Amino acid sequence: MDPTTDNAGRTGVPGNARASLEALRAEIAKAVVGQDAAVTGLVVALLCRGHVLLEGVPGVAKTLLVRALAAAVELDTKRVQFTPDLMPSDVTGSLVYDTRSAEFSFLPGPVFTNLLLADEINRTPPKTQSSLLEAMEERQVTVDGTPRPLPEPFLVAATQNPVEYEGTYPLPEAQLDRFLLKLTVPLPSREDEIDVLTRHAAGFNPRDLGAAGVRPVASAADLEAARAEVAKTTVSPEIAAYVVDVCRATRESPSLTLGVSPRGATALLSTARAWAWLTGRDYVTPDDVKALALPTLRHRVQLRPEAEMEGVTTDSVINAILAHVPVPR
């Protein structure tokens, strides 16, 4: 195969793309302990050109996870700390008057990057949250009527605390639907937490990932080659019908007021293809769909209040649907 070349002059051979993406997981593990599912989800999102929402209580390394990803991929990255007083222009950029030229010029905001870390996104009001909508969907920002394209690749990795925590604002449904995956970052197991403390006792500094040995192991060229290979992964008519049946079942569930939209169905098909390719296959199986159903769908459905009061969760509803929808043979 012909190699591809990125802007930095590096060449990436498509045949080595899977090895480069798999190496990402091992590299991130040098900084983050015991969050393999979240790491894999971030790699899937890179392959699908999708955005990721990371949810977990404070202190479980959500921010460190994204920073480690940025360090392991040769991509430009910027971080925005979302606060109650953050303005939309603080994210997208604004027009600034230049006294020397007596004209207004555009000052790009932090959204003009490859990997945007939106830290604690639900600590800012919906108006500022929504400033990311156009960027996430259209991959451009419109300021003063002028559309300005964002760099490629572009991915938003947003962290949020659980919505029942004080000082948080639920994300609008329209914005939630723009996230490809919602990954939960749980508290570590006892063994993993001991490993974390042992690393810190040995001098690990989460603010110095270079000292921890995290190095770039994949480039934009590797990512582009991987995406081209994922696009060749075969999806049979039976698998496409299975994805549709799972998503339609969420719309008929008595526990839900809002089911998965057609956008969610296409997202599930996309993530299942990426997972199939990562595991070394050029075709999608029902198990691939099941493996990605929870992170792809859990933020696209809404529970009925009475179901929520009974302790039902979106994950339990989706798992029940996966157990009952007939699997193609």
Side-chain angles (χ1 to χ4, degrees), residues 244-260:
V244 169
D245 290 342
V246 168
C247 293
R248 290 181 69 87
T250 65
R251 303 168 202 164
E252 300 165 1
S253 171
S255 299
L256 301 175
T257 59
L258 177 68
V260 177

Side-chain angles (χ1 to χ4, degrees), residues 181-204:
L181 299 171
K182 180 183 177 181
L183 306 173
T184 56
V185 185
L187 289 166
S189 66
R190 181 175 183 272
E191 291 73 19
D192 287 337
E193 195 164 1
I194 291 173
D195 192 359
V196 170
L197 266 63
T198 302
R199 291 188 182 194
H200 279 263
F204 172 72

Side-chain angles (χ1 to χ4, degrees), residues 4 18 30 39 49 107 150 162 180 229 244 281 301 315 323 326:
T4 55
R18 184 181 289 111
K30 294 179 180 179
V39 171
R49 301 180 78 245
L107 181 65
L150 297 173
L180 179 72
E229 292 189 20
V244 169
R281 282 180 281 101
V301 299
D315 284 13

Side-chain angles (χ1 to χ4, degrees), residues 241-323:
Y242 178 57
V243 171
V244 169
D245 290 342
V246 168
C247 293
R248 290 181 69 87
T250 65
R251 303 168 202 164
E252 300 165 1
S253 171
S255 299
L256 301 175
T257 59
L258 177 68
V260 177
S261 68
R263 181 192 285 129
T266 60
L268 180 54
L269 185 61
S270 176
T271 55
R273 281 179 104 183
W275 177 242
W277 179 82
L278 271 176
T279 52
R281 282 180 281 101
D282 60 357
Y283 59 92
V284 181
T285 69
D287 285 341
D288 298 323
V289 177
K290 290 183 177 181
L292 272 298
L294 285 180
T296 308
L297 304 181
R298 60 164 56 110
H299 56 296
R300 304 175 192 271
V301 299
Q302 283 187 354
L303 286 171
R304 292 188 181 277
E306 55 270 28
E308 197 167 2
M309 290 178 64
E310 294 172 0
V312 176
T313 65
T314 54
D315 284 13
S316 65
V317 172
I318 294 170
N319 279 326
I321 288 171
L322 292 173

Side-chain angles (χ1 to χ4, degrees), residues 94-107:
S94 58
L95 294 177
V96 177
Y97 184 72
D98 188 342
T99 55
R100 290 174 296 181
S101 63
E103 294 179 350
F104 285 94
S105 59
F106 178 66
L107 181 65

Side-chain angles (χ1 to χ4, degrees), residues 4-12 17 20-21 46 72-76 114 152-154 216-228:
T4 55
T5 306
D6 64 6
N7 293 332
R10 282 188 44 165
T11 59
S20 297
L21 271 292
L46 280 173
V73 187
E74 289 187 329
L75 297 175
D76 181 47
N114 297 124
E152 177 61 33
F154 173 70
V217 294
S219 67
D222 295 320
L223 189 55
E224 199 59 38
R227 288 172 174 174

